[in-house]
Amino acid sequence: MAYLAPIHKASSVRKAVRIHFLSPDQENLIVAKSDKLEIYSQDEAGLALSHTRAVYGKITVLERLQPPQSSTEHLFVGTDRYMYFILSWDAEKQQLQTEKSYIDQADSTARDSQTQDRCLIDPTRQFMTLQLFDGIITVLPLAAKGKRKGPAEAMTLGEPVPTRISEFFVRSSAFLHLPDQGETRPQLAILYEDNHQRTCLILKTLNYSTGGSSDPGTASFDDLTDHRTYLELGASHIVPVPAPAYGLIILAETSISYFKDPPNGHLLIEPLRKASIFVTWTQIDAQRWLIADEYGKLYFLMLLLEDDAVAGWKLDVIGSTSRASVLVYLDFGLVFVGSRQGDSQLVRIQDRSIEILQIFPNVAPILDFIIMDMGTRSAEVQTNEYSSGQARIVTGSGAFQDGSLRSIRSGVGLEEQGLLGRMDHITDLFSLRSSDTNEYYDVLIASFVNDTRVFLFSADGEVEEQQEYKGMLFLEGSLHVSNVSGHRLLQITKTKALLLDQEGGMVVAEWSPKPGRAITAASAGEGRVFLSIGGVEIVLLDLVHDLRLIAKRTFAEEGQISCVHLPVYTQDICIVGFWHSAAIAILRTSDLGVLNKVVMSEDSVSVPRSVLLAQILPDQDPTLFVALANGEVVTFSMNIQTFSLSGKKATILGTQQANLKALPRDDGVVGVFATCEHPSLIYGSEGRIIYSAVTAENASCVCPFDCEAYPGAVAIATSEDLKLALVDTERTTHVQTLKINETVRRIAYSTTLKAFGLGTIKRSLKGNLEIVQSSFRLADEVLFKELDSYALNEDELVESVIRADLREPSGDIVERFVVGTAYMDDEQDDSMPGRIIVFSVTSERKLQVVAEQTVRGACRVLGTVDGRIIAGLVKVVVVYSLDTPSLSKQAAYRTSTAPIDITVHGSLIAIADLMKSVSIVQYTRGNFGNPDELTEVARHFETAWATAVTWVGEHTWLESDAEGNLMVLRQNVNGVTPDDKRRLEKVSDIRLGEVVNRIWGVEVGPNPGATVVPRACLGTVDGSIYLFGLIAQSKQDLLMRLQQAMAMHVWSPGDVPFNSYRAFKSSVREEEEPFRFVDGGLVEQFLDCSMALQEEMCEGLGNKIDVEEVRGMIEGLRRLH
């Protein structure tokens, strides 16, 4: 049984509408992102998200309605399952409510619209039309008189009436504004493509008659004239023109036309100065429009009138934006640019230019992605879950000029509160209270290599740097600074330890090492100071008795001391780390004798560099954290009575050492902030230690700074500045963007090279000619800086890129990048429709072609098996061996149509076919002169337009199709007959509603008693990333029953049934409910329900299920993503 939960929700904007929705005196912007509605309000800073709600279905239609009895407008919503409903805003409850439940307009006999679903309202606002199927327009009356006499009730939807038209491939349509609008029947202009591929314009009138009490009425669209106007082939949009000019504008690739007199069919045409492809438009007023084109340009169109007649028009380019899918003019020169392949934007129109005010990140479409897991670099370290933040997802997002790389990771966010200034190379930070009576910190100490700076904060946040403070040394860097009981202050530098009077600044006591020796590390606890002298000697001093020497010891045989720590939880021990032995030792404070010693690793790079004993989990033993020089953090549970260590675990945070600093949290526990190239916050939750990445990429050191002006703040130093920030209390998803300005079609990643291989496609315009150039690029993993690139031939496009361990003719295994290509025009050169190119990376990090093979067919997909290349060509999958400077064909397998995706597990190869679902092929390496073999061992005997496949368990695969469905297939190895054993059986299916472009299998070591084991991540065209997992057998029944209970009790907009929303649906099969699939997005809402509702649902589950047990289970599921 399968589990699916969103890691990153859809960000592609398909529809948007301007509407008085939340209040009658303020307009809102409502945006549709796949199955999600977002409601924005306008403020001084731009657009602010006021409310968001998921809808059971991908939203394809948004339109505003204004009922006369309502002070606010209502929202008409349509989904891809042909369900339509009306929503309004309940101001008292501050949530959406359903005004009219869903209407199911599905028609199994009709063909879906080949362009897009359209919803139109005529200018009199008496009728609404839906264009969902080719050749059919559904009419919904908005004003219908009943049997009693009286005025019509406007904006109340009547019964839908389908009517047929002869035009099928409709490009655009619009109701016309008419001078005598109330006296004539509505007129509809349709721009369509006829059977001869000619672009035509025709006008139709709507004839509608009401029916009786049970009769929905009748409707028809009659041709206004027999005349059809033929336009240029690139005509794409109809723009209706209101009074005083009336008529319509037709946007085409090389011209703009004005239909001046619809009944007479008179056209006024003016050519464009430069050809373009227009994609959407929005109206400013009766004479002005904004138009967006395919290349991200924004145009301003203005009609030139003479005596209310159109004499011409003016079209100007005013700026560049993301490629728009929808434009909404908001007023006062503000325009919302919604995009499906780039970031959405809020822009302001200025004089012949635009200003981008706000950016709404969009990772759609996800063409490819990889998972960078820092935990894969060490055999001792378990693979990290995505939720830890140490595994990040890097996506190839967007298209052409909007193309980018996006780094998506789960982590704790930082909200910057203030910047103290530019300061380079801060080595450590410390916080002080200027008086023991102060509740808050008000002094911040910044230590540098050769000096120390002090900043004093006032209650209102004013900062003043002190030229001297309490007798502290400013001309040396500080290793430690802290408040000490008795109104005293402790400062430790490389040369001495000072105990200062906090009132008068006098030196109370001073301790210095012998001449020629320096203090290399320091730590202070309750009443004691622990120092490392010259890296070979340790000294313990008594703070109560003015730095009196308690004990000292030399560790010449152990090598130099790498770090020291004096715990605050006990005065009986201190901890030392050693360079040479890569060990830590727990010492008695009485005589510095060794109580316990642990060797961290046998290699010389696993040296302890930072040690911290912290109470992470309440009511449990404290945890000892040891940060190693190679980037690992090792944890132990310490018995505070015997000081024994147990439960060793290791996690890799990066490639460099992490510095550990405790940050106070609630209930007496602390969090640990680890600063390295991937800063992380380590904290306890639900009895587990959680490692979560922090959005402080360049942090070099931190300290808690809970001051009066910034309660709960943390001081953070980077290589360039010092600032204060608030740390989020919970983990969220964070997205970082690197603009490439090219389509990143494929991504591969090498952990050994620390580099990405990117297959990119660049589009440019030269005159009116569109030029497409494809390249393979090598980029650094940290800065994403391009290291080298290889340009493909003219008209050649990259189709696939992988990192592969290949076997050379000598038998050695080498790491290579492999690129598969295709030519845009196969007729140009039949001898070479594609290539496979093998690259090596030199020591100078440059690309070098080591092998090249021309193939008769586009190389859509690549993989590796047993050191050899698997290539998915047209109707065939071929295994090649590396035989420099070419490839040698070793085996082949004939597919039904064309292989779309390949996944390899051991010697089994799963092949996703364009039309015929999935087949499983066994690879057998030839021995004793026999050839290699590819033998089909299993097949899914069902028509499915597959898009991706991956292995998720023993004899089990996950497949996605082009109609937005997911299927879990399992080979029936226990079948009775050989044919039964060859059959892939469906064991789970669900309708996702989004097309999956890429599935990446993951293997995470399951925690004991885990409810769900993660097995794959999925990336979609709408920018969603989902986590797929398999449910433990003991939890399957509970989760299924909980999903049913949630579906019954959780309200859905439009009252759309959950089972209808998630039921599998394709062109050959339609189900009534999801099969053995749990929607994590639904069941995890259990935590958001009231306690009374939680108890009610648990009672319905039977078997006396405890609410706290269910809550704990759901909280664990949330932590997975």
Side-chain angles (χ1 to χ4, degrees):
M1 186 177 291
Y3 186 85
L4 189 73
I7 290 176
H8 182 273
K9 295 183 179 180
S11 54
S12 168
V13 175
R14 292 179 171 270
K15 300 289 181 180
V17 64
R18 170 186 172 187
I19 182 175
H20 289 90
F21 193 71
L22 300 182
S23 64
D25 55 351
Q26 182 183 10
E27 283 192 318
N28 303 105
L29 175 71
I30 298 184
V31 175
K33 297 180 178 179
S34 186
D35 62 350
K36 182 176 59 176
L37 285 173
E38 292 183 349
I39 304 174
Y40 290 88
S41 300
Q42 192 171 330
D43 57 22
E44 295 179 355
L47 293 174
L49 182 63
S50 299
H51 187 75
T52 181
R53 183 75 193 194
V55 173
Y56 285 171
K58 179 183 285 188
I59 300 168
T60 58
V61 170
L62 283 183
E63 189 56 76
R64 60 187 182 92
L65 303 175
Q66 177 59 72
Q69 70 276 15
S70 175
S71 60
T72 58
E73 293 177 301
H74 292 179
L75 184 68
F76 180 83
V77 182
T79 72
D80 62 336
R81 296 298 293 263
Y82 308 113
M83 294 183 178
Y84 300 87
F85 47 89
I86 299 176
L87 302 176
S88 65
W89 180 253
D90 188 328
E92 182 178 345
K93 297 181 179 179
Q94 290 292 295
Q95 64 183 20
L96 295 172
Q97 64 182 8
T98 301
E99 292 291 334
K100 184 176 180 62
S101 298
Y102 74 96
I103 307 171
D104 192 344
Q105 288 295 296
D107 187 345
S108 59
T109 64
R111 185 176 67 181
D112 292 350
S113 173
Q114 299 178 60
T115 51
Q116 63 176 342
D117 293 349
R118 294 184 181 85
C119 176
L120 302 175
I121 297 180
D122 83 295
T124 65
R125 306 196 76 80
Q126 295 180 3
F127 299 97
M128 174 191 289
T129 63
L130 296 174
Q131 300 174 36
L132 314 175
F133 307 100
D134 286 342
I136 299 177
I137 299 179
T138 301
V139 179
L140 293 91
L142 297 179
K145 290 184 179 181
K147 291 184 177 180
R148 297 181 180 180
K149 295 182 179 180
E153 186 181 357
M155 290 303 167
T156 300
L157 285 181
E159 290 297 317
V161 181
T163 179
R164 293 193 174 273
I165 59 174
S166 58
E167 295 76 22
F168 278 78
F169 193 87
V170 176
R171 294 185 178 179
S172 181
S173 59
F175 279 106
L176 300 185
H177 297 270
L178 302 175
D180 50 351
Q181 192 75 65
E183 301 176 4
T184 59
R185 291 173 294 181
Q187 294 183 6
L188 181 69
I190 298 177
L191 182 67
Y192 70 100
E193 186 178 313
D194 65 10
N195 294 331
H196 302 287
Q197 297 184 341
R198 295 175 299 185
T199 306
C200 310
L201 176 69
I202 190 169
L203 300 179
K204 293 177 178 287
T205 58
L206 170 60
N207 297 306
Y208 178 82
S209 60
T210 58
S213 58
S214 59
D215 188 358
T218 61
S220 65
F221 282 94
D222 302 325
D223 293 351
L224 187 63
T225 65
D226 294 334
H227 177 70
R228 279 170 167 74
T229 304
Y230 295 100
L231 306 172
E232 71 163 271
L233 294 178
S236 57
H237 290 79
I238 295 176
V239 181
V241 180
Y246 299 105
L248 57 87
I249 297 170
I250 299 171
L251 305 178
E253 292 184 8
T254 61
S255 66
I256 293 181
S257 308
Y258 172 68
F259 214 134
K260 188 175 183 180
D261 191 0
N264 299 325
H266 178 66
L267 277 171
L268 178 64
I269 302 176
E270 287 189 10
L272 298 175
R273 292 192 296 269
K274 190 174 182 180
S276 189
I277 302 173
F278 298 116
V279 292
T280 188
W281 58 273
T282 187
Q283 184 175 343
I284 299 176
D285 54 30
Q287 290 182 245
R288 298 179 298 171
W289 290 264
L290 291 173
I291 307 172
D293 73 0
E294 173 71 22
Y295 305 100
K297 292 181 181 178
L298 193 62
Y299 296 81
F300 183 85
L301 173 66
M302 183 173 67
L303 292 182
L304 305 177
L305 303 183
E306 294 181 1
D307 299 328
D308 293 340
V310 176
W313 50 86
K314 188 177 181 181
L315 183 71
D316 294 312
V317 178
I318 59 173
S320 295
T321 65
S322 300
R323 194 273 192 193
S325 58
V326 60
L327 293 175
V328 179
Y329 183 73
L330 299 177
D331 221 343
F332 304 110
L334 295 180
V335 182
F336 175 73
V337 181
S339 179
R340 294 177 60 182
Q341 66 181 46
D343 292 336
S344 296
Q345 298 162 329
L346 179 68
V347 303
R348 175 183 284 122
I349 302 175
Q350 299 176 330
D351 185 22
R352 294 183 177 273
S353 66
I354 61 172
E355 177 188 4
I356 298 177
L357 302 179
Q358 202 170 354
I359 294 177
F360 306 87
N362 171 32
V363 303
I366 298 175
L367 303 178
D368 196 7
F369 72 93
I370 55 100
I371 300 176
M372 293 176 60
D373 190 346
M374 302 303 296
T376 59
R377 297 186 292 110
S378 173
E380 291 186 356
V381 181
Q382 289 186 352
T383 302
N384 287 301
E385 296 178 0
Y386 165 80
S387 60
S388 71
Q390 308 314 317
R392 69 171 66 200
I393 297 172
V394 179
T395 68
S397 299
F400 300 118
Q401 69 271 12
D402 298 316
S404 63
L405 285 176
R406 308 283 175 132
S407 174
I408 303 171
R409 67 192 297 194
S410 173
V412 174
L414 291 179
E415 181 182 352
E416 188 172 318
Q417 299 295 297
L419 181 67
L420 271 70
R422 186 177 182 85
M423 302 178 202
D424 298 335
H425 308 302
I426 296 176
T427 58
D428 211 341
L429 295 172
F430 309 95
S431 53
L432 299 175
R433 294 179 176 90
S434 59
S435 171
D436 287 351
T437 60
N438 284 5
E439 180 182 358
Y440 296 97
Y441 291 117
D442 57 357
V443 180
L444 182 62
I445 311 294
S447 175
F448 300 81
V449 176
N450 295 314
D451 64 325
T452 298
R453 298 171 65 177
V454 178
F455 301 90
L456 181 64
F457 284 70
S458 65
D460 58 0
E462 293 294 324
V463 184
E464 180 182 358
E465 184 171 0
Q466 305 296 297
Q467 300 304 314
E468 63 85 24
Y469 184 75
K470 309 294 186 184
M472 286 180 56
L473 295 177
F474 277 24
L475 298 180
E476 295 185 39
S478 296
L479 299 176
H480 179 88
V481 183
S482 64
N483 291 107
V484 180
S485 60
H487 306 285
R488 293 183 295 179
L489 181 69
L490 174 66
Q491 182 189 17
I492 303 173
T493 68
K494 292 182 179 181
T495 61
K496 63 185 67 178
L498 291 175
L499 195 58
L500 305 168
D501 178 58
Q502 199 158 343
E503 299 297 332
M506 300 295 293
V507 177
V508 176
E510 177 180 339
W511 186 92
S512 300
K514 294 180 180 179
R517 306 188 72 178
I519 302 174
T520 56
S523 178
E526 194 64 35
R528 295 179 181 177
V529 179
F530 192 34
L531 306 176
S532 169
I533 310 300
V536 294
E537 183 182 22
I538 56 173
V539 172
L540 191 64
L541 304 177
D542 190 345
L543 279 174
V544 178
H545 296 90
D546 299 337
L547 301 180
R548 178 176 61 85
L549 180 66
I550 298 175
K552 66 178 180 179
R553 179 173 177 175
T554 302
F555 287 92
E557 71 280 1
E558 296 286 349
Q560 286 197 329
I561 297 168
S562 59
C563 55
V564 296
H565 175 58
L566 197 61
V568 297
Y569 302 102
T570 175
Q571 297 185 14
D572 297 330
I573 63 169
C574 51
I575 305 170
V576 182
F578 299 100
W579 279 99
H580 181 69
S581 60
I584 60 167
I586 301 174
L587 311 178
R588 288 187 299 268
T589 54
S590 59
D591 60 0
L592 299 181
V594 177
L595 292 172
N596 195 357
K597 182 178 179 181
V598 178
V599 176
M600 306 308 300
S601 178
E602 299 299 332
D603 59 72
S604 59
V605 297
S606 300
V607 177
R609 296 294 290 120
S610 182
V611 181
L612 179 67
L613 184 67
Q615 188 70 52
I616 293 287
L617 300 171
D619 303 323
Q620 294 189 27
D621 288 334
T623 302
L624 178 64
F625 293 85
V626 183
L628 306 184
N630 63 354
E632 288 186 32
V633 172
V634 182
T635 61
F636 300 88
S637 178
M638 176 184 283
N639 187 313
I640 205 66
Q641 304 299 325
T642 64
F643 308 115
S644 61
L645 301 178
S646 61
K648 178 182 177 182
K649 295 180 181 178
T651 301
I652 287 186
L653 298 186
T655 59
Q656 303 170 10
Q657 70 181 57
N659 294 314
L660 307 175
K661 189 70 75 79
L663 299 180
R665 293 170 67 89
D666 296 333
D667 302 325
V669 298
V670 300
V672 176
F673 199 109
T675 52
C676 54
E677 73 264 40
H678 302 297
S680 296
L681 182 67
I682 310 169
Y683 60 96
S685 176
E686 303 299 324
R688 297 175 57 208
I689 296 178
I690 306 297
Y691 290 75
S692 189
V694 179
T695 56
E697 289 299 322
N698 299 318
S700 58
C701 52
V702 302
C703 78
F705 193 69
D706 181 21
C707 61
E708 187 172 358
Y710 306 103
V714 173
I716 301 177
T718 70
S719 59
E720 298 178 348
D721 53 37
L722 176 61
K723 57 190 175 185
L724 298 183
L726 292 178
V727 181
D728 288 347
T729 57
E730 62 181 13
R731 189 182 64 241
T732 55
T733 298
H734 301 275
V735 180
Q736 292 179 310
T737 302
L738 177 70
K739 295 293 290 184
I740 302 296
N741 299 319
E742 299 180 20
T743 301
V744 183
R745 181 161 170 73
R746 292 290 180 260
I747 304 177
Y749 173 67
S750 168
T751 56
T752 56
L753 296 173
K754 295 183 174 56
F756 289 99
L758 307 176
T760 65
I761 302 174
K762 181 179 181 180
R763 181 179 65 180
S764 58
L765 289 176
K766 292 185 177 179
N768 289 333
L769 185 63
E770 184 177 278
I771 306 298
V772 176
Q773 177 64 51
S774 193
S775 304
F776 175 66
R777 305 180 186 276
L778 186 69
D780 178 75
E781 74 164 0
V782 178
L783 302 176
F784 293 101
K785 177 184 176 182
E786 182 178 307
L787 303 173
D788 198 11
S789 66
Y790 177 88
L792 300 183
N793 296 330
E794 185 178 355
D795 293 334
E796 186 181 20
L797 297 181
V798 63
E799 289 283 356
S800 52
V801 173
I802 63 169
R803 185 215 66 88
D805 291 323
L806 301 180
R807 180 176 286 104
E808 290 190 318
S810 63
D812 296 334
I813 299 296
V814 293
E815 185 179 40
R816 299 287 184 257
F817 284 109
V818 186
V819 178
T821 74
Y823 281 83
M824 289 188 287
D825 187 2
D826 289 344
E827 298 179 358
Q828 192 175 45
D829 186 357
D830 291 337
S831 64
M832 197 174 70
R835 285 194 297 167
I836 300 174
I837 312 170
V838 181
F839 293 93
S840 66
V841 179
T842 66
S843 58
E844 292 81 19
R845 307 189 83 180
K846 300 295 182 181
L847 293 172
Q848 182 178 355
V849 177
V850 296
E852 180 180 334
Q853 181 70 38
T854 60
V855 292
R856 295 186 61 83
C859 183
R860 303 292 186 190
V861 61
L862 289 166
T864 60
V865 60
D866 194 20
R868 298 192 169 178
I869 298 172
I870 311 170
L873 312 178
V874 177
K875 288 193 174 184
V876 66
V877 172
V878 181
V879 175
Y880 290 100
S881 62
L882 181 61
D883 189 13
T884 309
S886 63
L887 304 178
S888 297
K889 182 177 178 180
Q890 300 297 324
Y893 167 77
R894 188 82 171 174
T895 60
S896 299
T897 53
I900 295 298
D901 194 19
I902 288 175
T903 187
V904 181
H905 181 73
S907 60
L908 293 178
I909 305 167
I911 303 168
D913 190 83
L914 177 64
M915 294 178 61
K916 295 299 182 180
S917 194
V918 171
S919 57
I920 310 299
V921 175
Q922 177 88 44
Y923 169 74
T924 305
R925 186 178 178 85
N927 293 317
F928 308 108
N930 295 321
D932 295 357
E933 293 183 354
L934 290 176
T935 308
E936 182 178 297
V937 296
R939 174 182 287 274
H940 184 220
F941 293 93
E942 184 177 304
T943 298
W945 295 73
T947 60
V949 66
T950 196
W951 178 89
V952 293
E954 187 177 7
H955 307 298
T956 307
W957 287 266
L958 173 65
E959 177 192 6
S960 62
D961 70 17
E963 296 177 274
N965 301 298
L966 295 177
M967 291 179 287
V968 180
L969 306 174
R970 180 177 296 161
Q971 186 179 356
N972 184 15
V973 293
N974 297 320
V976 178
T977 67
D979 285 343
D980 290 339
K981 294 180 179 180
R982 290 185 60 248
R983 189 175 296 274
L984 288 177
E985 297 178 339
K986 178 199 68 177
V987 295
S988 300
D989 65 28
I990 194 172
R991 180 173 177 82
L992 183 62
E994 302 177 50
V995 177
V996 175
N997 273 339
R998 184 80 162 89
I999 304 177
W1000 187 278
V1002 297
E1003 294 186 39
V1004 176
N1007 294 313
T1011 302
V1012 171
V1013 180
R1015 288 300 185 190
C1017 290
L1018 300 79
T1020 75
V1021 296
D1022 288 296
S1024 297
I1025 299 177
Y1026 290 91
L1027 177 70
F1028 170 88
L1030 297 179
I1031 303 174
Q1033 188 171 0
S1034 61
K1035 302 293 185 181
Q1036 292 178 0
D1037 181 63
L1038 175 59
L1039 281 176
M1040 286 298 296
R1041 287 188 285 123
L1042 179 61
Q1043 178 171 260
Q1044 293 175 359
M1046 291 291 296
M1048 292 174 57
H1049 289 88
V1050 175
W1051 174 78
S1052 69
D1055 302 323
V1056 177
F1058 171 79
N1059 285 340
S1060 298
Y1061 162 52
R1062 285 303 192 194
F1064 183 97
K1065 182 180 183 295
S1066 70
S1067 57
V1068 297
R1069 178 166 65 91
E1070 184 170 356
E1071 304 292 343
E1072 296 182 353
E1073 62 182 6
F1075 178 62
R1076 293 173 56 82
F1077 229 118
V1078 174
D1079 182 354
L1082 174 65
V1083 299
E1084 289 174 18
Q1085 292 183 47
F1086 180 87
L1087 299 178
D1088 303 326
C1089 298
S1090 65
M1091 182 58 68
L1093 182 55
Q1094 289 180 4
E1095 292 176 350
E1096 180 183 347
M1097 286 189 286
C1098 287
E1099 288 177 2
L1101 297 179
N1103 299 328
K1104 297 182 180 180
I1105 300 296
D1106 183 61
V1107 175
E1108 290 304 318
E1109 178 187 346
V1110 176
R1111 286 182 59 88
M1113 179 182 66
I1114 301 302
E1115 287 171 349
L1117 293 176
R1118 275 194 174 179
R1119 285 197 300 268
L1120 289 176
H1121 57 92

